[in-house]
Amino acid sequence: MRAALVMDGLRMGGIERVGLDYISILKNLGYDVDIYNLRPKLTELEKEVPDDCNILHINYPRWLAPERYGATLKKAWWGKYIYPIAYCVMSCANMVYLPIIRWKNRRQEKKYDLAIAFSGHVNDLTFIAKSYIKSAKKVAWLHGALYSYAIISPSYLQLYKKIKNIVSLSDMCDANFKEYMEDNEINKKTIYNPLYIGTRSVDQCVVDELEKKYGDFCLMVARMETDKDQKTAIDAIRLLNNSNRWNKKLLLVGDGSQRALLEKYVAEHNMEDQIIFAGQRYDVQNFYSAASIYVHSSPLEGLPTVLLEAMNYEVPIAATDSVPGVREILRDGEGGLISPIADADALAKNIYKLYTDKELVFQIIQRQRKRRKAFAPEVVQNHLNEFIQNLR
């Protein structure tokens, strides 16, 4: 059996890392897996793809997907005029581009049993829906709840109608889409991301060095982009230290377009000794093992893998209420403390609780141990196998 995993680039990010985990699960289910990278310039994570997986580079940017322009319908009054024009133009462009892509890849064109639009963006979804690769069954993989994509653009719902099979990370508000799914004969299942990080070996020397150098530090692992909002986490540490006369440190693991701005912000507030930019790391397990508290400040998340990873290493979590993922994982606060998004003061207070209330931390860790069982790879594999047996 053959499966194609279509990705909107392979940069260092949560979705991409989860994609690598699903390669392992698909292989366990008996599939030979090919990876389609639709943004060939984003290749940071390709070196972690198993050697027996083929990686195919096909440039299919988001702007080429006709459905991308559906978002204009929600932006302004002129959207209803712009959208049909843009849709027609890009549809014509795809009619030309599709045979070109197939001709260029004619020597390696294959028929797949299963094709998965894994990034869940308009380009990989369109790539699957328009059959740029041939497959018997198609799956749209949502990194969040169905409603959250419908809010962004109605075009997502049009693409799901063509693909027919949906995996989501949460069933929040699914009742509102019951008629839509029934009318369009859509097969949908909620499947969690598998938690594989526990299989990585921890270098105790690195852990000891981190603890010695930074003490009982806080940790945040995320790309440095606007949708991760490290600034709120930085402000929380500033408030925490100023109000308690502490010098707790926050280690930021990751890189991205916002790093220079964040470093400038830290310098402006004289926090260079409190905020540590650790850069891109492939050994994040060592940082989780050394951290005292995990801080999450993103405004919107599907199912943040970093929270699962923190739970695996029994690190108490202070998180902003980025729906649906934080509530889905932490069970409305049972597995960690949740504060409003962009509220540095509330986040700082929760961090303080985790530093000072040992009984609370003990209870949180106990609940985390139970909760993380739902994300065990064997559990996720069983759910995926059941889903595949019922594809339309």
Side-chain angles (χ1 to χ4, degrees):
M1 297 186 293
R2 305 195 65 86
L5 211 61
V6 182
M7 307 287 289
D8 181 26
L10 278 165
R11 61 183 177 179
M12 287 292 293
I15 291 175
E16 293 79 5
R17 289 167 59 197
V18 173
L20 296 184
D21 292 337
Y22 268 101
I23 291 174
S24 298
I25 287 180
L26 287 167
K27 288 167 65 68
N28 289 341
L29 292 176
Y31 286 90
D32 293 325
V33 182
D34 288 345
I35 310 297
Y36 283 80
N37 185 346
L38 302 188
R39 296 173 77 184
K41 291 184 179 180
L42 301 179
T43 60
E44 294 172 298
L45 214 59
E46 285 190 358
K47 62 183 179 182
E48 295 196 20
V49 172
D51 293 336
D52 57 353
C53 292
N54 294 317
I55 301 176
L56 299 96
H57 294 119
I58 296 180
N59 187 32
Y60 191 79
R62 297 180 193 179
W63 61 262
L64 190 55
E67 287 77 7
R68 180 194 181 185
Y69 303 93
T72 60
L73 294 170
K74 291 180 173 288
K75 288 185 176 180
W77 62 269
W78 44 261
K80 63 182 179 180
Y81 302 107
I82 296 296
Y83 173 60
I85 297 173
Y87 186 88
C88 289
V89 170
M90 289 304 155
S91 293
C92 291
N94 274 265
M95 291 175 65
V96 175
Y97 197 49
L98 175 57
I100 292 174
I101 290 299
R102 286 187 172 172
W103 184 82
K104 284 185 175 180
N105 293 276
R106 63 192 183 281
R107 293 182 179 178
Q108 55 192 18
E109 188 173 17
K110 306 167 185 176
K111 176 68 178 291
Y112 294 95
D113 299 283
L114 176 64
I116 304 174
F118 195 82
S119 292
H121 298 156
V122 288
N123 56 338
D124 56 286
L125 288 166
T126 303
F127 193 84
I128 293 294
K130 290 186 177 296
S131 299
Y132 271 81
I133 53 176
K134 299 176 182 178
S135 63
K137 303 292 183 180
K138 304 173 182 179
V139 176
W141 207 280
L142 282 59
H143 296 273
L146 177 61
Y147 86 91
S148 59
Y149 286 85
I151 290 173
I152 296 171
S153 171
S155 293
Y156 282 106
L157 298 180
Q158 295 300 317
L159 287 166
Y160 301 153
K161 284 170 60 175
K162 297 175 182 178
I163 295 174
K164 294 298 183 184
N165 302 289
I166 298 176
V167 170
S168 73
L169 301 182
S170 171
D171 56 8
M172 183 181 290
C173 298
D174 271 6
N176 297 335
F177 294 89
K178 183 178 180 182
E179 184 176 347
Y180 160 80
M181 288 188 283
E182 290 177 348
D183 290 347
N184 294 289
E185 298 181 337
I186 291 176
N187 173 36
K188 180 182 178 297
K189 186 176 181 64
T190 297
I191 303 177
Y192 288 149
N193 294 337
L195 183 56
Y196 269 106
I197 196 170
T199 62
R200 298 186 184 183
S201 60
V202 173
D203 188 331
Q204 193 58 46
C205 291
V206 175
V207 173
D208 293 342
E209 183 179 349
L210 288 169
E211 292 176 342
K212 181 180 179 180
K213 190 172 183 179
Y214 302 117
D216 49 350
F217 65 89
C218 297
L219 174 67
M220 181 173 177
V221 180
R223 290 180 290 105
M224 292 188 177
E225 305 294 345
T226 53
D227 61 339
K228 298 303 179 183
D229 189 21
Q230 281 91 348
K231 183 175 175 293
T232 293
I234 292 169
D235 286 339
I237 295 299
R238 177 167 56 85
L239 292 169
L240 174 71
N241 289 342
N242 289 347
S243 61
N244 296 284
R245 297 181 180 177
W246 285 351
N247 189 29
K248 302 298 183 185
K249 300 183 189 301
L250 170 65
L251 267 66
L252 297 174
V253 173
D255 209 341
S257 65
Q258 298 298 301
R259 177 167 177 168
L261 291 176
L262 291 170
E263 289 178 333
K264 180 180 178 182
Y265 184 77
V266 167
E268 289 172 348
H269 289 81
N270 299 313
M271 296 180 65
E272 293 95 329
D273 66 326
Q274 300 173 31
I275 309 300
I276 311 300
F277 291 85
Q280 198 70 264
R281 299 292 301 227
Y282 291 91
D283 63 335
V284 289
Q285 68 274 18
N286 295 323
F287 287 78
Y288 287 116
S289 297
S292 295
I293 293 171
Y294 189 82
V295 179
H296 173 88
S297 57
S298 299
L300 182 67
E301 290 281 359
L303 198 75
T305 303
V306 289
L307 297 191
L308 300 175
E309 293 175 344
M311 289 170 61
N312 182 78
Y313 291 96
E314 300 189 349
V315 185
I317 297 168
T320 51
D321 192 13
S322 47
V323 294
V326 168
R327 295 187 192 183
E328 188 77 34
I329 292 175
L330 300 184
R331 292 296 190 187
D332 293 327
E334 290 184 6
L337 302 183
I338 302 176
S339 58
I341 60 173
D343 190 335
D345 184 64
L347 182 59
K349 289 176 180 176
N350 281 344
I351 295 171
Y352 179 78
K353 287 181 184 177
L354 295 177
Y355 268 120
T356 58
D357 193 335
K358 301 304 179 185
E359 179 59 29
L360 172 63
V361 169
F362 176 79
Q363 293 174 1
I364 286 174
I365 296 303
Q366 295 304 309
R367 291 192 288 264
Q368 285 183 355
R369 288 175 179 172
K370 295 180 181 179
R371 180 63 180 137
R372 71 189 188 209
K373 292 178 181 178
F375 304 91
E378 60 271 16
V379 173
V380 175
Q381 179 173 312
N382 289 336
H383 288 316
L384 179 59
N385 191 36
E386 291 172 5
F387 177 69
I388 289 175
Q389 302 309 314
N390 295 292
L391 291 178
R392 293 175 180 171

